[in-house]
Amino acid sequence: SDVYKRQVVYELVGVVDICYRFFQELKDFCEHHTGQKIGKRKNDKKRRKADRDPNMPKKPPTAFLIFCNAKRESIIQKNPHVPVSYTHLTLPTIYSVQISVVAVSFKKK
């Protein structure tokens, strides 16, 4: 069953990559044929962020962040030859696959 879980994770990463590439190509196609950039309007201005109080407490970490911090090292140790960006792609997919079992335990923390 462990092999099956890994296979599901790899397939999900592949599907996400295919979707991302499809939408990039669609965006490029539309921009080329219409002459307009998609995603931002001409008159959009960047909003300036309000100054943040340095003494203000930070938000508590979510269950997903606690899960990532706990699992990141084990994934890197199991796959030392794989780039770090791979872990950033696989952690959300593992979390979403195992959300019913794992997320509940990390939400309790």
Side-chain angles (χ1 to χ4, degrees):
S1 75
D2 189 40
V3 174
Y4 177 74
K5 288 179 185 177
R6 286 183 186 169
Q7 183 180 2
V8 169
V9 169
Y10 288 129
E11 288 176 2
L12 287 174
V13 170
V15 169
V16 169
D17 185 53
I18 290 169
C19 291
Y20 175 77
R21 289 175 192 235
F22 171 76
F23 284 113
Q24 273 303 115
E25 288 181 14
L26 182 64
K27 179 183 167 190
D28 293 342
F29 177 81
C30 292
E31 286 178 358
H32 176 73
H33 288 287
T34 61
Q36 296 178 353
K37 288 202 172 190
I38 297 176
K40 288 190 175 181
R41 295 181 183 167
K42 292 180 183 178
N43 296 331
D44 283 352
K45 294 182 179 178
K46 289 186 178 179
R47 293 183 182 180
R48 184 175 173 201
K49 290 185 178 181
D51 293 333
R52 186 157 192 232
D53 182 15
N55 297 327
M56 192 167 111
K58 293 183 178 181
K59 293 180 181 178
T62 61
F64 175 71
L65 288 176
I66 295 170
F67 172 80
C68 288
N69 291 336
K71 297 291 181 179
R72 187 177 294 118
E73 289 301 321
S74 65
I75 291 177
I76 292 173
Q77 287 175 356
K78 289 178 184 176
N79 305 310
H81 58 282
V82 177
V84 177
S85 60
Y86 170 78
T87 61
H88 297 295
L89 290 173
T90 55
L91 282 171
T93 54
I94 293 170
Y95 184 77
S96 64
V97 169
Q98 299 176 351
I99 197 161
S100 60
V101 178
V102 176
V104 173
S105 65
F106 280 99
K107 284 181 183 177
K108 291 179 182 177
K109 292 182 182 181

